[in-house]
Amino acid sequence: MDVRDLGRITYEDALEVQLALVEKRVQGYIPDTLALAEHFPVLTLGRLAEERSIIDRVYFEERRVPVVCSNRGGKATYHSPGQLVLYPVVDLGEKKKDVAFYIDFLERTVARSLRRLGVPAERDGSRRGVWSGGRKIAFIGIALKRWVAFHGVSININNDLEAFSRILPCGESGIKVISVRQVLGHSVDMTRTKEIFTRQFVSDLQSEYSCETRSIEYHAIRGEVKKSGGGNHGVEAAGTFRKE
Amino acid sequence: MELRLPELSEKNNETILTLWHVAESERVSTGQDIVEIATDKATFDIPAPCSGTLIKKHKTEGEKVAPNGMIAEIREDGS
């Protein structure tokens, strides 16, 4: 399994990277891959987002926050630095062709990672996402091509939550959101946080899908994303280490 | 050939046709994405099961699609 830390990257560039990974995964050229990212401020609208999802359009215009229509499932959500986004590119066709099970899996692995950070986190049987104390802390929206899943989960870690009050997160009114920083009363180290989520994801993918992942190739990406594309999916890898 | 909604095992969710990638009368190739559907939290591109011509769309964008519901008809090459 490959793990690629994209660092801080625009939503559009991350999508470009994902689409390249999906194409290669569909062709069988690469293994399942978990991409990690933080985004510059952006409001994204999933395929089922409604006009009413943006409550305060002026707020985003004044801050020059781009609004991007995305090909993922779900409705409206907001990304900004300090929020961790997991983009697993996983071939469900060779594991289990069940979209609901995969979303359940994403919720479970994110909740377990949050608990390892010391955050009480749980799933809600009637609503998607991951919750802490009745407030939403992680948001899910995925897409599939030939049963290769992409897009994924965003988790509020150290990010500012003000913008969430200017939208209807996931199209639902009355939802309150929360972050790891708010729950714990202090910020957490993003590098350690990424490692916790990565280890949990790989472990849970193996156990819940009964698949063998002999090793993890971790590509720590630093610096700018190359716009020219090419054989490295448009991303410059600054370092690589192998974990067993 | 009939193109029907595949089994996604997406429980308790209605499925909506969100985007046509091709037009009626357009040629399609096996494996080419021809239509996108969406459930609550997921989108899914449905590929053409054969090469041929998309002769009829049975649903428009925004319409619900029932389980195993008919989406389109494709006239296979050579048929």
Side-chain angles (χ1 to χ4, degrees):
Chain A
M1 176 156 198
D2 272 5
V3 178
R4 292 173 181 269
D5 187 345
L6 308 182
R8 197 164 289 182
I9 183 173
T10 67
Y11 186 84
E12 293 93 331
D13 284 344
L15 180 56
E16 194 177 316
V17 172
Q18 285 187 81
L19 291 174
L21 292 172
V22 168
E23 201 54 46
K24 289 178 186 294
R25 187 69 189 100
V26 166
Q27 302 293 332
Y29 296 152
I30 60 169
D32 289 335
T33 300
L34 173 63
L36 310 165
E38 288 180 67
H39 290 312
F40 297 102
V42 62
L43 177 59
T44 68
L45 304 176
R47 279 287 191 249
L48 300 183
E50 301 151 325
E51 191 69 25
R52 68 185 187 97
S53 294
I54 307 175
I55 298 171
D56 187 353
R57 197 171 286 272
V58 173
Y59 174 86
F60 296 102
E61 287 171 355
E62 285 178 348
R63 287 158 183 77
R64 298 173 185 252
V65 174
V67 180
V68 176
C69 292
S70 174
N71 62 347
R72 64 166 172 78
K75 297 183 177 175
T77 198
Y78 180 75
H79 304 290
S80 64
Q83 183 193 61
L84 175 61
V85 188
L86 307 181
Y87 290 126
V89 177
V90 173
D91 187 357
L92 301 182
E94 63 177 27
K95 297 179 182 64
K96 184 172 183 172
K97 291 182 176 178
D98 189 326
V99 177
F101 182 86
Y102 179 66
I103 295 173
D104 290 346
F105 157 76
L106 291 176
E107 290 176 345
R108 283 192 291 268
T109 192
V110 166
R112 287 180 190 126
S113 298
L114 286 166
R115 290 197 289 270
R116 287 183 60 192
L117 276 171
V119 174
E122 59 202 3
R123 300 173 61 220
D124 180 321
S126 60
R127 297 181 294 180
R128 283 301 189 184
V130 180
W131 305 75
S132 182
R135 293 176 176 232
K136 198 165 193 174
I137 196 165
F139 310 80
I140 293 179
I142 66 164
L144 297 104
K145 282 183 186 289
R146 315 290 195 285
W147 284 103
V148 172
F150 60 112
H151 287 287
V153 194
S154 53
I155 307 114
N156 291 335
I157 307 292
N158 298 323
N159 50 309
D160 186 276
L161 302 179
E162 166 67 19
F164 282 96
S165 65
R166 315 296 177 140
I167 62 172
L168 294 178
C170 305
E172 300 172 62
S173 55
I175 284 187
K176 292 188 176 357
V177 300
I178 199 165
S179 66
V180 169
R181 182 174 66 182
Q182 283 186 335
V183 174
L184 299 180
H186 58 83
S187 295
V188 294
D189 179 74
M190 280 300 271
T191 302
R192 177 173 167 267
T193 300
K194 287 175 181 176
E195 178 143 359
I196 286 174
F197 276 88
T198 299
R199 286 182 183 278
Q200 191 69 52
F201 181 89
V202 174
S203 169
D204 288 344
L205 190 72
Q206 286 179 321
S207 60
E208 297 208 19
Y209 282 97
S210 304
C211 61
E212 190 67 28
T213 301
R214 285 185 295 278
S215 64
I216 306 168
E217 287 285 341
Y218 186 91
H219 303 270
I221 312 297
R222 299 186 192 89
E224 295 300 312
V225 172
K226 285 183 175 177
K227 291 294 289 180
S228 56
N232 59 357
H233 315 299
V235 175
E236 186 173 17
T240 300
F241 65 89
R242 177 182 289 267
K243 296 180 192 174
E244 294 302 327
Chain B
M1 177 178 280
E2 295 177 350
L3 183 70
R4 291 181 175 274
L5 182 65
E7 177 58 62
L8 303 175
S9 300
E10 178 68 290
K11 60 194 175 194
N12 304 324
N13 257 313
E14 63 183 23
T15 304
I16 296 171
L17 192 154
T18 43
L19 186 68
W20 278 107
H21 295 299
V22 297
E24 275 185 351
S25 304
E26 199 173 317
R27 278 197 51 76
V28 297
S29 305
T30 303
Q32 177 187 345
D33 289 333
I34 55 176
V35 64
E36 179 196 84
I37 56 167
T39 60
D40 181 25
K41 293 292 182 187
T43 60
F44 191 100
D45 274 322
I46 301 177
C50 60
S51 294
T53 304
L54 182 75
I55 54 173
K56 185 168 177 58
K57 295 178 178 178
H58 284 265
K59 296 286 179 184
T60 58
E61 292 177 0
E63 268 195 276
K64 292 178 187 174
V65 186
N68 197 38
M70 177 87 92
I71 295 175
E73 290 174 62
I74 298 170
R75 184 172 59 229
E76 282 186 77
D77 286 343
S79 64

